[in-house]
């Protein structure tokens, strides 16, 4: 069963921290490329962070040095540690994974088209 379930969202004050988790099934968890995206009301979904199986990561400029993406292969779980949160970080956060059959080169880990599996999202709200 293809499944990706996010958790850890909530409401925090500016400057606070949250840790998002994404539990994936065997059929969706990827050791090649996984990522986090977010979508604020009235805005397009944007890439936040992408993580290659090598351990290399890419971040949007807006979250660099504040967010950290990581994964636990044994638990098939992707994480996003978010520190120094700002009101502009308020959005629905989604995890994503590249399909197992797609072993072609990744051009941009922050681009939606690089991913095949998506979770339902978890809401993050940051108040000033």
């Amino acid at each position: 069963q293809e499944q990706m379930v996010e958790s850890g969202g909530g409401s925090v004050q500016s400057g606070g921290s949250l840790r998002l988790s994404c539990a994936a099934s065997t059929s969706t968890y990827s050791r090649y490329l996984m990522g986090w995206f977010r979508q604020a009301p009235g805005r397009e979904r944007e890439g936040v962070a992408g993580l290659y199986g090598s351990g290399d990561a890419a971040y949007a400029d807006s979250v660099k040095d504040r967010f950290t993406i990581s994964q636990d292969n044994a638990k098939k779980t992707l994480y996003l540690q978010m520190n120094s949160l700002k009101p502009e970080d308020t959005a629905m956060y989604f995890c994503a994974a590249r399909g197992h059959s797609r072993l072609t080169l990744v051009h941009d880990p922050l681009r939606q088209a690089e991913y095949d599996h998506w979770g339902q999202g978890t809401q993050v709200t940051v108040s000033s």
Side-chain angles (χ1 to χ4, degrees):
Q1 181 180 0
E2 296 187 353
Q3 189 174 16
M4 299 181 72
V5 181
E6 300 94 337
S7 62
S11 297
V12 295
Q13 290 192 326
S14 182
S17 298
L18 284 174
R19 188 194 194 202
L20 305 184
S21 298
C22 172
S25 62
T26 299
S27 61
T28 56
Y29 186 78
S30 174
R31 299 192 182 200
Y32 183 42
L33 180 69
M34 295 192 74
W36 287 98
F37 289 74
R38 67 186 180 187
Q39 186 168 18
R43 301 189 66 176
E44 293 187 356
R45 190 173 296 189
E46 63 175 355
V48 174
L51 181 65
Y52 293 96
S54 63
D56 292 334
Y59 296 93
D61 289 342
S62 59
V63 306
K64 207 169 291 183
D65 298 325
R66 298 189 299 121
F67 291 10
T68 303
I69 187 172
S70 62
Q71 68 185 144
D72 184 327
N73 291 330
K75 295 182 179 179
K76 296 184 178 62
T77 301
L78 181 71
Y79 302 99
L80 185 67
Q81 178 66 45
M82 305 186 296
N83 299 327
S84 302
L85 283 161
K86 305 175 181 180
E88 50 264 44
D89 294 319
T90 295
M92 184 73 78
Y93 283 72
F94 302 88
C95 65
R98 193 170 176 91
H100 294 170
S101 62
R102 290 180 68 189
L103 300 178
T104 53
L105 184 67
V106 175
H107 296 284
D108 181 356
L110 300 183
R111 192 169 65 108
Q112 293 185 64
E114 302 284 5
Y115 298 86
D116 302 290
H117 305 294
W118 294 85
Q120 295 300 307
T122 185
Q123 178 67 37
V124 172
T125 302
V126 185
S127 58
S128 57

